[in-house]
Amino acid sequence: MTERMFDVVVVGAGPAGSAAALTAARAGLSVALVERGPHPGSKNVYGGVVYGRVLDELVPRWWEQLPAQRWITRRSTMIMTDRQAVTVDVRAEAWGGPPYNGATAFRADLDGWLARLAEEAGAVLVPSTVATGLLRDVDGMVRGVRTDRPDGDLTAGVVIACDGVNSFLAKEAGLFTDRDTAQHNSLGVKETLALPREVLEDRFALRGRDGLDMEILGCTRGIPGGGFLYTNLDSISLGVVVGLKGLADSGVRPEELLADLRAHPSIAPLVRGAELKEYTAHLLPEGGYDTMPELVGDGILVAGDAAAMCLAAGVWLEGVNFAIGAGMYAGRAAVEALARDDTSLAGLAGYRRMLEESFVLADHRKLRRVPGLVFSDRVQQRYPALLCDLAEEFFRVDNPRPKPGLGRLLRRTASRHGVRLRHLLSDAVTGWRSFG
Amino acid sequence: MSAALPALDAVAVVVVRGGELPPGADESAAEAGAAALLVGDGTEGARARLSSARTVWTVEARLPDAGVLAEVLAPLLARVHTVLLPASSDGRDLAPRLAVALDRPLLAGAVSVAGQGAEVLRHDGRQLVELAATGPFVATLLPGVRGAEPADGDPVTYRIEARWPDAPGGTHTLGTVAPEAGDTPLPEASRVLGAGAGLGGGTAVALLAGVGRILGASVGATRAVTDQGLLPHDRQIGTTGVVVDPDLYLAFGISGAAQHVGGLGSPRHVVSVNTDPHCPMTAMADLGIVADAPAVLAELARRLEAPHD
Amino acid sequence: MLVAAAIRHADPGAPVDPLTGAVREDRRPGRASDAGPAALEHALRLADALGGRCVAVTVAGPEADGMLREALAAGAHEVLRVEGPAQDGAATARTVHRALLERHGVPDVVVCGDESASHGTGATPAFLAARLGAAQALGLLELRAAQGALHAVRRLDAGRSERLRVPLPAVCSVLAGSVRPRRAPLPAVLAASRSAVPVVTVAPPTSPEAVRTVAVRPYRPRPKVLPGPSGDTARDRMLALTGTFVPRTPPRVVTAAEPAHAVDELLGFLRSHGYLEQGG
Ligand SMILES: Cc1cc2nc3c(=O)[nH]c(=O)nc-3n(C[C@H](O)[C@H](O)[C@H](O)COP(=O)(O)OP(=O)(O)OC[C@H]3O[C@@H](n4cnc5c(N)ncnc54)[C@H](O)[C@@H]3O)c2cc1C
Ligand SMILES: Cc1cc2nc3c(=O)[nH]c(=O)nc-3n(C[C@H](O)[C@H](O)[C@H](O)COP(=O)(O)OP(=O)(O)OC[C@H]3O[C@@H](n4cnc5c(N)ncnc54)[C@H](O)[C@@H]3O)c2cc1C
Ligand SMILES: Nc1ncnc2c1ncn2[C@@H]1O[C@H](COP(=O)(O)O)[C@@H](O)[C@H]1O
């Protein structure tokens, strides 16, 4: 066998890839980190909130280095209809200091920072280079990747595929058993709206570097999905994430949804006068646990969005933390396997085990029913209206008539929205099992 | 035969080729207070075409290397405070060399030039920087940014016999090549389809040619497209490309940068197909269609080829 | 024989604040701007044809190291990063010139890109030619070496072009679409990824600046002067000026959900303005 060029080749310098490269390089392995864009993060899009707890293991006191825009101290969930909105607003001052909870950050900043850490640990970043295929030996074992450069083969002991949603490498490795992935993809569209810093802080009742993270349900004309509004230092990220299939069936254009949201009576005052700076769109996997590919093959591991590890369900929009976690464990599994000189499926099996024991798969398993629930017609269409009506009626003062009891209001509103109490109950149980 | 220009606030220096004025010649002359120096071959004919100058100096010559030309012109311009050139190919070639020969700063790519300085465009035309010079300076003016008012009557003309070096070195012209012959030369086309970066790539651009044939329109493009080599450079509309003046301009995926619009003349009708409703091209359009340009083009091609019924 | 490629490092998408005109200059590794890769490609070919060495030079901060390593991997014999003034073409040319002299001696050919996105004046190569006492040929569509000189096709206005013979020493600037830049082979990229990038610092001139920046704003087009109206009578001229009898529809922006809808709008517009036969 010819000498391999690297111990590990990581494809994709997103959060997953950089975490994998960092972990492997720190353990003394030779690592190549192949990235399509001219610099990490150059082509990547996301909403803007990163939950840093997962970094504790990788970067001690990461909050002193993370290129954060604002620290999340307010988390709101807004449920809306065309003309109504009910908001649950959580404010935790403690999140605004070490060890922090979440932060808004720009992707180019975040990805650049993580990739730099990997480089400092010894990984070789190979930018402007696309992995175009897998190299295999006679037994079908993955031995590296092919790239679009002349003489572009990169041989390695282990390939870690972190190439994002619709991973080409995971597909080529035959790790996706389910071919129909379009069903499980969502489209995220996002606008960055600039506001002067003082105006933004006044409007959102924020101080210093405090920030708001708002998830929105019921803003997608019944297309399965949700919206978000995040605050950066002097701009707002406003976006919607909708299921591709629902979007295609509805014939609605994603910009229209975004325009609706921008014009909604609860959102319009928040973004008034803001200048549109950027409009971006990106796919993300939404199906969760049940749509994940095999995570391990002979000589190959899959991590992050490439393995559908994004949690995009209703009140959550988390992918970066899962990607970082998975990348870290993939790095560790590669280190262990190479130490034992067994990079076969069996030798790399430690990856799956580490994921199962950590939040990465634990959360996903626990929340496996959530995508189905959140994307159900009831949650998407009827519950927001029901809840908003309920709240509206509950708080309406109808003197001289006496206030109706909550139970009666609920029955009345539910039947008006065609929701059976039986279904409400069963959804509540699913919800409780997942979230409780 | 006076040797040099008098002390003037400003003069436009315009390089003439075969009696043709470059784009922006009239604007530069107007910006320079109706004074122009024409240099090149066919200055007499060019003078007749220049409508915005009241005083004209001509230097008839076969154009030498820009460095040589600058050395010859500099002594003539020593007493002129602001030397202004249109930012055409030859203007951009000569202006830095004139600045060096006159030992003055160059304020390049201006949209307006006044007294002590100029407003220049930077960052692909998105940023305007106001510059002030401490003394006399040379500037280039982007064509198409100001328009020009015609001066009345025939201009006063002075011919200058310049002294040329015996054996000028430098770049030597072997010949001029006319633009590739299309159906209608772009500058004369009354209908133009414009291809921009938003059109995506080669296939869509090729489709545009077909649609153009059916609509009787010529195909032009932005620099973003010609830079990618998707269309030859002589299809580039704009201040550094071809200047057109059609009745109808259909822009597909074009943002409407100043350097592009500067070459557009004043079309009677403009349609812009763009995903960004706020882009300048859509803002100046009679009809702005917010849609995916390649998809619209494909559908348009399909519909136009459909038989009548 | 020394062939230099002067390339500018840029973030092509550097956002300009629409309200203030301020540019968020990105200190992130980006890439060569616009015509940079084309300039390097031509320089590599010329060095090959003339039997010389090719050096890629840029005036930029350390964020440009990646771009220079890419040049090294693509075949440049050496690279040089220069720290020094580069606020305009004259300053950039001075800085590049000094750094080349200090490190490599007088170049026989310098290939530049056409206008860079951030400056966009195309003046740098002309200033360089002046400093080197070299022949200049700017805005080239083609460039090759033949019989100890360069042969080039230069873009002129209105789609015309001219063929040139450019003696050495020469400074040329090439258009982005003039050549397809090569991709650096992967082994070379890996080899270059750790190589140190030599840096030369050029001090700013001691003479006072002849140009001062007064203000930075977003660009708003200035009103255009139009030629006076034509017409035989005062009334005709007045009508022409005010456009009284010129049919005009107010500008309209429509969002089309479907391409078909967009085409309906488009064809409707063309028909109602007489560009297509009714029903055609
Ligand atoms: C609109 C939107 C909003 C979101 N909001 C949030 C949020 O607020 N918080 C959050 O935590 N998550 C959010 N997410 C999800 C999050 O962005 C992803 O889960 C996360 O980026 C996954 O990281 P990754 O490293 O797996 O993949 P990616 O970030 O997609 O990185 C993949 C990398 O691989 C590179 N690549 C791909 N193919 C190749 C190839 N063949 N060769 C070489 N390189 C290749 C790409 O250029 C890219 O750099 C959002 C997603 C979207 C679309
Ligand atoms: C000195 C100098 C001289 C120049 N001279 C010229 C010149 O002569 N001519 C010239 O044209 N340019 C010239 N330029 C370049 C000019 O500044 C602009 O960069 C160029 O015109 C932009 O071309 P564009 O509109 O195609 O691309 P972009 O500015 O990138 O715009 C693309 C547009 O397409 C839209 N879009 C994207 N995707 C889609 C989609 N799927 N469907 C519909 N729309 C979509 C976007 O919203 C955007 O508006 C010059 C620049 C400089 C610095
Ligand atoms: N900072 C720089 N470093 C090296 N070359 C440069 C630099 N700036 C401009 N150039 C060269 O000069 C050309 C024209 O740039 P400009 O004069 O800025 O329009 C560019 O395409 C480069 O080839």
Side-chain angles (χ1 to χ4, degrees), chain C residues 242-255:
Chain C
T242 54
T244 305
F245 292 136
V246 180
R248 227 190 120 64
T249 42
R252 213 156 62 86
V253 176
V254 295
T255 301

Side-chain angles (χ1 to χ4, degrees), chain A residues 3-335:
Chain A
E3 189 83 9
R4 64 172 182 241
M5 296 160 78
F6 288 92
D7 294 325
V8 177
V9 168
V10 181
V11 178
S18 289
L22 171 63
T23 308
R26 278 216 186 127
L29 299 187
S30 65
V31 180
L33 178 55
V34 181
E35 167 57 42
R36 172 171 67 177
H39 63 83
S42 55
K43 293 193 177 165
N44 297 343
V45 175
Y46 85 137
V49 178
V50 43
Y51 299 94
R53 195 74 305 110
V54 59
L55 286 167
D56 288 346
E57 280 189 64
L58 278 176
V59 191
R61 304 183 71 75
W62 50 268
W63 52 86
E64 289 169 2
Q65 300 179 32
L66 180 90
Q69 291 279 314
R70 289 180 178 277
W71 299 101
I72 301 299
T73 55
R74 259 186 84 186
R75 244 198 110 141
S76 316
T77 303
M78 182 183 278
I79 296 174
M80 61 167 57
T81 66
D82 286 354
R83 328 182 41 94
Q84 302 161 302
V86 174
T87 308
V88 179
D89 192 12
V90 180
R91 192 188 270 270
E93 289 287 305
W95 291 346
Y100 294 97
N101 178 39
T104 50
F106 292 129
R107 268 312 283 278
D109 293 340
L110 178 71
D111 289 13
W113 173 64
L114 284 169
R116 208 155 46 244
L117 291 178
E119 277 191 278
E120 280 161 14
V124 179
L125 178 68
V126 190
S128 304
T129 305
V130 183
T132 53
L134 292 172
L135 298 172
R136 297 168 187 268
D137 65 14
V138 284
D139 305 322
M141 176 104 169
V142 173
R143 289 295 185 197
V145 295
R146 189 150 275 164
T147 71
D148 67 338
R149 296 228 181 224
D151 297 330
D153 288 0
L154 264 177
T155 53
V158 178
V159 171
I160 306 182
C162 303
D163 50 342
V165 62
N166 282 339
S167 167
F168 163 71
L169 291 183
K171 261 179 228 144
E172 193 174 297
L175 299 176
F176 271 103
T177 39
D178 179 1
R179 304 264 135 228
D180 183 21
T181 45
Q183 248 200 62
H184 306 302
N185 277 340
S186 287
L187 177 70
V189 292
K190 181 184 105 167
E191 283 177 353
T192 310
L193 300 158
L195 269 184
R197 187 171 167 178
E198 319 78 67
V199 175
L200 184 145
E201 284 167 6
D202 266 6
R203 241 178 234 188
F204 293 93
L206 302 170
R207 266 178 326 190
R209 298 291 289 273
D210 289 356
L212 161 75
D213 161 343
M214 182 191 282
E215 313 296 337
I216 305 163
L217 277 181
C219 61
T220 49
R221 297 199 197 167
I223 303 165
F228 59 83
L229 183 157
Y230 303 143
T231 54
N232 304 311
L233 209 52
D234 50 11
S235 64
I236 297 168
S237 299
L238 183 72
V240 293
V241 175
V242 281
L244 262 192
K245 192 167 176 305
L247 189 66
D249 292 348
S250 71
V252 176
R253 293 182 65 86
E255 312 86 271
E256 295 176 49
L257 296 177
L258 207 48
D260 283 0
L261 185 58
R262 211 188 311 109
H264 190 278
S266 304
I267 302 295
L270 299 177
V271 299
R272 190 189 311 124
E275 184 91 18
L276 179 68
K277 282 204 134 170
E278 192 182 46
Y279 171 90
T280 44
H282 199 74
L283 289 180
L284 65 168
E286 63 171 22
Y289 193 78
D290 292 332
T291 62
M292 287 186 190
E294 294 295 333
L295 302 176
V296 185
D298 282 319
I300 185 168
L301 299 171
V302 191
D305 274 10
M309 286 172 182
C310 185
L311 187 59
V315 296
W316 283 295
L317 185 52
E318 297 175 25
V320 171
N321 47 342
F322 286 99
I324 293 175
M328 177 175 78
Y329 294 121
R332 284 188 196 164
V335 172

